[in-house]
Amino acid sequence: MIDQIQELMQEIEDLKKYIKDNKLSRQYLTTMVKRYGRTSGIQKNISFHTLRHTYATWLYINSRDIETVRQQLRHKSITTTTIYINTAWQFQGHKALSGFQL
C-alpha cells in the first residue's frame, strides 16, 4: 500500500510540469489518452481530439441538443458545432460510443 501511495505521489509530482495556468497541456492530455487507449486494448491511433469528438457525438445523439454540445465544447459559434448533427447518424449504435453515460 505504501508503495502505491509513493507511486501516486510521484505521478502527481511528474504531472506538475504539464500544468500551466491551472490547465493541463495538450501534449499531456494526448499522451494520457494514448496510454489509456493502449492499456484498454484500443488498436487504433487515438488522441485527445478523438476523445473530444467521440464525447461530443455521443452527447448529441443522446440529448439531441446542439446548444448543450456547443457549451460543452466551448465553441463560440453554433456553426462550428453543427458538424455533429451532420455526422451523428453514422455513429448511432457504434461501440466507441457505448462507454459514456449521461
Side-chain angles (χ1 to χ4, degrees), residues 88-99:
W89 66 270
Q90 298 172 12
F91 297 99
Q92 286 184 321
H94 193 280
K95 66 181 180 178
L97 301 177
S98 64

Side-chain angles (χ1 to χ4, degrees), residues 49-66 68-70 72-73 75 81 83-85 87-88 97 100:
H49 201 71
T50 307
L51 185 62
R52 178 179 163 91
H53 274 285
T54 304
Y55 169 71
T57 301
W58 173 88
L59 183 60
Y60 179 72
I61 288 170
N62 286 281
S63 71
R64 293 290 183 205
D65 183 1
I66 197 66
T68 298
V69 177
R70 186 196 67 76
Q72 289 285 308
L73 297 180
H75 287 162
T81 315
I83 188 152
Y84 299 102
I85 294 174
T87 61
L97 301 177
F100 294 106

Side-chain angles (χ1 to χ4, degrees), residues 14-46:
D14 293 343
L15 183 63
K16 287 180 182 178
K17 67 183 173 187
Y18 296 104
I19 297 174
K20 182 179 180 183
D21 299 328
N22 286 331
K23 295 179 182 178
L24 290 172
S25 72
R26 183 174 292 213
Q27 174 192 8
Y28 176 77
L29 291 171
T30 296
T31 301
M32 183 180 68
V33 169
K34 287 179 185 291
R35 184 176 66 235
Y36 284 108
R38 282 191 306 271
T39 301
S40 64
I42 295 174
Q43 300 291 320
K44 291 186 174 189
N45 186 21
I46 60 171

